[in-house]
């Protein structure tokens, strides 16, 4: 009898034991300084390997040599000339491609006719490497800034249009039907329901199109430009000036880092309801 009572008590305690809560969802938290610490350690190891002679400086210059090259470029004024040329092309091309992509993406997401026509054209033209169209754009637009900006705008346009209409399709239809049942005007539904619901996908598309713009501006400048980060990297590679070549790579990486921080700030400000 005592054994049975002890068994029942143990079973009861086992049944009422505290269980750790596991319903917080999949929301990974990132450390504020973890990435910078890892990057710093990588730079220290890289510098130590180069200083010890374990790596040939011709093939992989040390971080100090790259910083020295960037400093010399900044003092000579060449850095600002190349950076300003690339930033102008990226900015204008990205804005044009983004504006057109948002308009076409919303049209595809909201209109049956635009969807049937637009998706066909996007599916056919999106896989074409946009840099392959640069010679044709030069024939159409002449030698100057226009072909490079058009190349960037084309690459940004397709990625933006796809992310926008995918975001519109992802908006819960129950919310749209509920707004329609209350006779909410179409423009208000787009502004108050569809736009906020599609915004996360649109901002995620901005991250992709920023990288696409960087890739295309470097490629376009390597083919037909006198100034720009791409032209500078190509010239440094031809002259085997690997410290300056990697200096250009570091500048491009800094561009990407700044753009990522800006888009992260936009997500924090615009998606505060998440």
């Amino acid at each position: 009898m005592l054994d049975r009572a002890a068994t029942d008590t143990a079973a009861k305690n086992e049944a009422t034991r505290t269980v750790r809560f596991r319903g917080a969802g999949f929301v990974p938290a990132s450390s504020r300084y973890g990435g910078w610490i890892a990057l710093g350690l990588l730079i220290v190891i890289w510098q130590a390997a180069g200083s010890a002679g374990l790596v040939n400086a011709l093939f992989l210059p040390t971080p100090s040599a790259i910083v020295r090259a960037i400093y010399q470029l900044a003092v000579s004024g060449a850095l600002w000339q190349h950076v300003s040329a690339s930033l102008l092309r990226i900015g204008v091309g990205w804005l044009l491609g983004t504006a057109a992509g948002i308009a076409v993406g919303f049209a595809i997401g909201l209109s049956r006719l635009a969807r049937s026509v637009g998706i066909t054209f996007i599916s056919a033209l999106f896989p074409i490497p946009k840099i392959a169209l640069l010679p044709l754009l030069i024939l159409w637009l002449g030698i100057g800034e226009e072909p490079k900006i058009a190349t960037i705008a084309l690459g940004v346009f397709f990625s933006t249009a796809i992310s926008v209409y995918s975001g519109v399709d992802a908006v819960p239809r129950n919310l749209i039907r509920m707004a329609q049942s209350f006779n909410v005007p179409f423009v208000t539904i787009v502004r108050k329901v569809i736009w906020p619901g599609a915004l996360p996908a649109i901002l995620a598309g901005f991250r992709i199109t920023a990288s696409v713009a960087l890739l295309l501006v470097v490629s376009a400048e390597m083919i037909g430009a006198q100034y720009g980060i791409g032209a500078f990297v190509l010239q440094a590679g031809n002259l085997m000036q690997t410290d300056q070549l990697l200096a250009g790579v570091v500048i491009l990486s800094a561009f990407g880092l700044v753009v990522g921080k800006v888009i992260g700030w936009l997500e924090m400000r615009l998606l505060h309801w998440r």
Side-chain angles (χ1 to χ4, degrees), residues 123-134:
S123 300
L125 300 177
F126 177 64
I128 299 175
K130 306 308 176 289
I131 196 63
L133 301 176
L134 181 59

Side-chain angles (χ1 to χ4, degrees), residues 9-233:
T9 302
K12 184 177 180 181
N13 292 334
E14 182 69 20
T16 59
R17 65 186 177 87
T18 303
V19 178
R20 183 170 61 90
F21 177 69
R22 300 183 61 189
F26 295 99
V27 184
S30 60
S31 173
R32 178 177 298 182
Y33 305 107
W36 294 106
I37 293 173
L39 180 61
L41 289 175
L42 176 62
I43 293 174
V44 169
I45 295 172
W46 181 2
Q47 179 68 41
S51 301
L54 300 177
V55 180
N56 191 334
L58 178 63
F59 298 105
L60 188 63
T62 60
S64 60
I66 297 172
V67 171
R68 194 181 311 116
I70 294 175
Y71 174 75
Q72 292 172 354
L73 288 170
V75 170
S76 66
L79 175 64
W80 316 118
Q81 193 173 25
H82 291 297
V83 169
S84 61
S86 295
L87 284 179
L88 176 63
R89 294 162 185 152
I90 291 172
V92 177
W94 188 86
L95 288 174
L96 290 175
T98 298
I102 290 176
V104 172
F106 267 99
I108 292 174
L110 299 175
S111 170
R112 179 178 300 177
L113 176 61
R115 176 178 292 265
S116 60
V117 175
I119 290 183
T120 302
F121 277 93
I122 288 177
S123 300
L125 300 177
F126 177 64
I128 299 175
K130 306 308 176 289
I131 196 63
L133 301 176
L134 181 59
L136 185 60
L137 292 173
I138 291 175
L139 290 176
W140 290 350
L141 303 175
I143 299 175
E145 297 299 323
E146 292 83 0
K148 305 175 188 63
I149 293 174
T151 302
I152 297 169
L154 280 174
V156 170
F157 164 75
F158 287 102
S159 299
T160 302
I162 291 172
S163 65
V164 169
Y165 81 70
S166 299
V168 172
D169 289 345
V171 176
R173 289 298 180 260
N174 290 337
L175 297 179
I176 300 175
R177 295 189 187 99
M178 181 176 63
Q180 291 173 335
S181 65
F182 284 99
N183 292 323
V184 178
F186 175 76
V187 176
T188 305
I189 293 176
V190 173
R191 186 166 56 90
K192 294 291 188 179
V193 179
I194 297 177
W195 171 258
L199 195 56
I202 295 174
L203 292 177
F206 284 177
R207 291 184 181 272
I208 298 173
T209 56
S211 301
V212 169
L214 282 175
L215 291 173
L216 289 175
V217 74
V218 171
S219 302
E221 289 171 349
M222 284 183 174
I223 293 175
Q226 184 178 2
Y227 299 106
I229 299 300
F232 169 72
V233 168

